Every structure is written in C-alpha cells, then in structure tokens.
C-alpha cells in the first residue's frame, strides 16, 4: 500500500493538513495520538515513567501529568531521550499495526518526529508542511496557551528546518491561508491517488 509520511515541526499545520486528507476519505494514523495510548495508566511505559519520576509525573486520577513531564523533558535532554527510549518502540509497533489495517486507497502517517524517530522507514513518500520558525512559535503558543520560550525549546529538540526540507520528497508552504494550503494538498492528493492505483 502507498503510505504517505506527513510531517513538520510543532505548530506547522500537520493537523490542518491531515484534516483535509481525512475529509477526502484517507485513513490517517496520528503518532501524537498513539503516543498518548502507550502511556495510558497501567501500560508498561506508564509504569516505567512512574518508577523513574515518582508521583510528580502522575495525576491523582493516575493519568500522566503531561504539563509536568513536558517541562521536565524539554529542559533536560537526557530525560527526553530516556522517555523516547520507553515510548518510541511501542509507538512504532502500534503505528505499524494501524497502518496495516487501513482500507482507504492510500494511508497517511502523521508524525512530528517522522525523520528523527526513523518512522520514515514505514512510509513510501514524505510530505513536509513548512512555515518559518517565527510562525511556528506564534501559532503553537496561541493554540496551546503555552509560553513561547517553551515552544522554542521544543523546536530545538526537533530536526532543524533546513534538514527537514532536504529530507522531504515534497513540501507544502503553510505560511498563507488555510485555503492556500488546501489548494496545494488537493493537487498532491490527485498524484497520491494515481501513485496508489499503480502500486497496489
Ligand atoms: C512530553 C509529553 C508528555 C508532553 O505532552 P503534551 O501533551 O504537552 O504534548 P503533545 O504530546 O501533545 O506533543 C505536542 C508536540 O510536541 C512535540 N513533541 C512531543 N514529543 C517530542 C519529542 N520527544 N521531541 C521533540 N518534539 C516532541 C511534537 O511537535 C508534538 O506535536 C509528550 O509530548 C510525550 O510523551 N512525548 C514523548 C513521546 C513522543 O516522542 N511523542 C511524539 C510523537 S512520536
Ligand atoms: N494556514 C493557517 N492559517 C492560520 N492558522 C493556521 C493555519 N494552519 C494552521 N493554523 C493554526 O495554527 C495552529 C497549529 O496548527 P496545527 O495544530 O495544525 O499544527 P501541528 O503541526 O499539527 O502542530 P503539533 O506538532 O503541535 O501537533 C492551530 O491553531 C491551527 O488552527
């Protein structure tokens, strides 16, 4: 099956782009959602986090204290790498299963860390949603009500923009309106449909 890897830094517009493809009937596997599944209470990664960080990392209702953990891992890179060591292999296994179950003409893996985590090995072609860094900070801090400095630390933990662009098979520019984004995606969707009818 033709699988498109959809990526971009925090706040670049991956969710906006994947909403377009979902509306067109394409199955989208969202790595951020899968990342939440693997740390649900009782899951092995949840237990490992509880053991390493204690109750600071866990809310009263047993769910992960995401705000505490975000603060921790984006200011201490070795803790981020430890967390990724616990979560990424499990995220990858579930993504593989979910992509295999997709029934649409082609499928999409939406992931902020497609290149960084090696998830790009699971896809046929890659599409980067690109905006300048300043716009990433603006849009992401408005959306999450997050401190811009926190967003900058997250950007620093991701692939630099130029490297991401170099690794992309295709790029869409999301510095304009959503309509302008959708116009670019509509043209690409037609090419993915054509590619999937020859590969399947
Ligand atoms: C640190 C955590 C608990 C913070 O949770 P929070 O709800 O605040 O953020 P959320 O998960 O929605 O992520 C928001 C964005 O942060 C960025 N981000 C998340 N994890 C990472 C990471 N390890 N490295 C770089 N950027 C990351 C992505 O752009 C993501 O879209 C959470 O991000 C996490 O568990 N991260 C480790 C798992 C992971 O790498 N997930 C990314 C998808 S594979
Ligand atoms: N072209 C656009 N014009 C104006 N606002 C936009 C545009 N594209 C996205 N946005 C807004 O910017 C914010 C970030 O977009 P989105 O959530 O799609 O990014 P993302 O890449 O999925 O981020 P994350 O990595 O954090 O999940 C959202 O509030 C979204 O509504």
């Amino acid at each position: 099956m033709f699988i498109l890897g959809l990526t971009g830094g925090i706040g670049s517009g991956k969710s906006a782009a994947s909403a377009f493809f979902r509306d067109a009937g394409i199955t989208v596997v969202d790595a951020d959602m899968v990342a939440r599944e693997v740390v649900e209470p009782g899951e092995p990664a949840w237990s490992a986090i509880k053991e390493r960080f204690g109750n600071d990392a866990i809310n009263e209702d047993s769910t992960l204290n995401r705000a505490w953990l975000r603060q921790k891992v984006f200011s201490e890179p070795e803790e981020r790498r430890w967390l990724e060591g616990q979560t990424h292999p499990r995220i990858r296994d579930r993504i593989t299963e979910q992509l295999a179950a997709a029934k649409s003409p082609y499928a999409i893996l939406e992931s902020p860390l497609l290149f960084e985590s090696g998830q790009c090995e699971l896809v046929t072609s890659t599409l980067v949603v690109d905006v300048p860094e300043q716009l990433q900070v603006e849009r992401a801090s408005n959306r999450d009500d997050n401190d811009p400095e926190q967003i900058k630390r997250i950007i620093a933990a991701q692939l630099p923009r130029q490297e991401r662009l170099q690794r992309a098979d295709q790029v869409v520019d999301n510095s304009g309106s959503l309509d302008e984004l959708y116009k670019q995606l509509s043209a690409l969707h037609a090419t993915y449909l054509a590619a999937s009818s020859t590969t399947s």
Side-chain angles (χ1 to χ4, degrees), residues 13-200:
K14 292 180 298 296
S15 303
S18 68
F20 171 91
F21 289 111
R22 278 200 179 96
D23 278 356
I26 301 303
T27 299
V28 178
V29 175
D30 176 348
D32 276 339
M33 247 165 68
V34 177
R36 284 169 190 260
E37 292 169 14
V38 304
V39 294
E40 276 172 11
E43 289 290 329
W46 175 91
S47 303
I49 292 166
K50 188 166 185 236
E51 192 176 321
R52 188 171 183 93
F53 300 116
N55 283 335
D56 282 346
I58 309 292
N59 294 316
E60 293 231 321
D61 65 357
S62 296
T63 57
L64 207 61
N65 184 341
R66 306 185 70 86
W68 185 88
L69 203 55
R70 181 176 62 223
Q71 186 62 39
K72 181 85 181 164
V73 303
F74 292 114
S75 52
E76 297 182 37
E78 66 284 11
E79 298 300 347
R80 177 171 51 80
R81 282 189 283 272
W82 177 85
L83 179 65
E84 290 171 353
Q86 292 298 320
T87 53
H88 285 188
R90 293 172 171 124
I91 292 170
R92 191 192 176 100
D93 287 350
R94 288 193 187 209
I95 284 174
T96 305
E97 274 171 31
Q98 293 182 18
L99 286 171
K103 299 271 188 293
S104 53
Y106 66 95
I108 291 180
L109 168 57
E110 174 193 349
S111 174
L113 305 179
L114 187 74
F115 298 121
E116 293 89 330
S117 67
Q119 287 162 8
C120 49
E121 292 157 13
L122 306 174
V123 307
T124 321
S125 184
T126 59
L127 174 63
V128 164
V129 185
D130 180 57
V131 297
E133 218 169 86
Q134 198 188 332
L135 204 50
Q136 272 184 276
V137 175
E138 252 170 56
R139 286 180 180 167
S141 45
N142 283 341
R143 183 198 53 195
D144 302 340
D145 209 12
N146 239 324
D147 172 10
E149 291 308 313
Q150 173 75 277
I151 304 296
K152 286 183 190 162
R153 281 194 288 274
I154 296 178
I155 290 175
Q158 300 183 341
L159 209 58
R161 183 181 180 200
Q162 285 314 318
E163 262 181 66
R164 187 185 292 115
L165 290 173
Q166 267 166 21
R167 295 188 63 171
D169 291 318
Q170 280 160 319
V171 178
V172 284
D173 170 21
N174 187 29
S175 57
S177 66
L178 282 177
D179 267 0
E180 286 169 303
L181 174 67
Y182 294 161
K183 223 172 268 164
Q184 299 169 70
L185 295 177
S186 178
L188 286 171
H189 175 57
T191 68
Y192 299 142
L193 283 176
S196 58
S197 66
T198 57
T199 53
S200 60

